[in-house]
Amino acid sequence: MNCIECDAQVAIPNDAIQGEIVSCKECGTSFELVREQSGNLFTLRPAETEEEDWGE
Amino acid sequence: MVRVGVLAASGYIGGELLRLLLQHPEVEITAATSRKYAGEYVFRVHPNLRGITELKFSPNDPSKLTSSTDVVFAALPHGESVKIVPQLADAGLRVIDLSADFRLSDKGEYPSWYGYDHPRPDLLEKFVLSVPEINREQVKGARLVASPGCMAITAILALAPLLKEKSLGIDREHIVVDAKVGSSGAGGKPSLSTHFSERFSVVRPYKPAGHRHAAEIEQVLAAMAGEKVKVSMSAHAVNMVRGILITSHLFTATAVKPLDVWKVYRSMYTGSYFVRLVRDKQGPFRLPDPKLVVGSNFCDIGFEIEERTGRLVALSATDNLIKGAAGNAIQSMNLMLGFDEKTGIAMAPLHPV
């Protein structure tokens, strides 16, 4: 499965469960795993992350 | 073992070449020259090398180098290298020159950028300006290599893929390169401007326009783009000892998306160990920062897009003495001699520093 931000491969653990948060190794974008209606596969939904003020 | 010599080994780049070459498993340093310190132990000038080598400096004598070395790294100042390196090249030695004297392929550029007519223009076409991540195959076949300036290579690595990819629609006439460099970039010779009281805490715009490295950057980028490219460069001295951050501003004719830029960078740098793409959504180091490459041969590259103005900001960071000088030169030697390009220079950056 590829990251929608940077297109790198996102590793999904074999024992992943619905709602689990995974992050892209390359760009750090976090995703929530959402189970497809067929029941076996997951899709990636961007997870809500807290915005921080980096000194701006 | 390959016998290597370092010409003008008492400066910061010379010291860094010695430090790295002393740990290189395939080479033996047979000469480290210095006019000023001939006869003196190397570790008296480079105290970090105490206990690591008993090597002494020898005089800058090209005829001795031709008999005692197979490869010479020349770390002489601009204008000095061109007086000595031709003798080494003519004698058939492999030479890696770290000055600007053989970087520009057009002899007509030397009077305007460096203020002298090149005395050996025939050699310019024989020297390969080495940015291994871009022209690895050319470097492999070269006997004579010029290593780019520290700010130039840092900018080139971030910009070359973007100029090569036509679909981004980069405006080639308006490329702005903003450099911030640490004090070691000014070399080891002290002056009033490098005096601690004057240098500490500065953000000094020391060359807001007309920096010489623009010539090298334009040369490489034009080759990538297949057309002339114009680079406007500003350089600032900042409060670091090592490190360079280049912030490059490009303007695009079309709306560019982050994914487009990721793909462009990956297409050129996948498999290049020394280039790391850094555009992270987490942690304090989300984009390249010199702090995270110090002590290594890495160049970290990242980017951001300002849709409102059609601006693409490319960021790149290196250790100016390593990927910006000694490390890139040794990487080039590795390729010239058929070694793995990481040999002797694969160390991780320091952290914290």
Side-chain angles (χ1 to χ4, degrees), chain B residues 77-316:
Chain B
H78 313 314
E80 291 299 314
S81 204
V82 75
K83 295 174 188 165
I84 293 180
V85 162
Q87 297 171 62
L88 306 174
D90 291 343
L93 290 184
R94 285 189 165 89
V95 179
I96 299 157
D97 186 67
L98 290 103
S99 80
D101 289 353
F102 300 95
R103 290 178 191 157
L104 305 180
S105 54
D106 179 359
K107 66 174 181 178
E109 297 279 344
Y110 277 92
S112 55
W113 289 103
Y114 289 95
Y116 69 89
D117 288 313
H118 205 286
R120 286 292 302 271
D122 59 305
L123 283 177
L124 294 178
E125 63 185 35
K126 294 180 182 163
F127 270 83
V128 172
L129 184 64
S130 176
V131 186
E133 288 74 15
I134 292 174
N135 61 350
R136 191 174 276 112
E137 292 309 312
Q138 249 188 305
V139 178
K140 278 181 187 172
R143 292 190 72 81
L144 303 173
V145 155
S147 203
C150 54
M151 285 180 271
I153 194 168
T154 311
I156 286 167
L157 285 167
L159 294 173
L162 306 176
L163 269 296
K164 189 179 178 195
E165 179 53 56
K166 297 274 187 271
S167 70
L168 297 178
I170 303 288
D171 179 350
R172 296 183 313 278
E173 295 282 311
H174 297 96
I175 299 170
V176 178
V177 171
D178 176 291
K180 297 171 188 75
V181 63
S183 60
S184 61
K189 205 171 164 186
S191 70
L192 178 60
S193 66
T194 62
H195 179 53
F196 182 82
S197 307
E198 308 297 340
R199 182 64 171 73
F200 184 71
S201 269
V202 297
V203 183
R204 179 186 296 154
Y206 76 90
K207 194 71 180 169
H211 197 285
R212 290 164 164 181
H213 286 182
E216 299 161 40
I217 301 170
E218 286 183 356
Q219 178 176 300
V220 176
L221 297 188
M224 301 306 291
E227 293 172 87
K228 274 202 147 189
V229 169
K230 219 175 259 178
V231 169
S232 306
M233 185 170 172
S234 298
H236 307 77
V238 298
N239 199 33
M240 308 184 287
V241 174
R242 281 176 186 247
I244 292 175
L245 178 71
I246 299 282
T247 308
S248 298
H249 307 270
L250 305 105
F251 296 90
T252 62
T254 53
V256 172
K257 299 288 176 204
L259 197 50
D260 303 326
V261 183
W262 273 105
K263 283 180 178 168
V264 167
Y265 278 130
R266 283 211 189 98
S267 72
M268 187 172 281
Y269 294 136
T270 296
S272 285
Y273 177 79
F274 291 119
V275 170
R276 305 188 298 189
L277 302 180
V278 179
R279 188 173 190 266
D280 211 304
K281 300 277 185 188
Q282 301 180 33
F285 295 99
R286 298 179 178 207
L287 288 163
D289 188 322
K291 189 176 170 76
L292 290 188
V293 291
V294 166
S296 81
N297 195 49
F298 285 106
C299 177
D300 283 359
I301 295 175
F303 66 91
E304 197 49 87
I305 294 167
E306 187 174 68
E307 284 185 27
R308 187 180 64 82
T309 56
R311 184 168 64 114
L312 171 56
V313 184
L315 299 132
S316 46

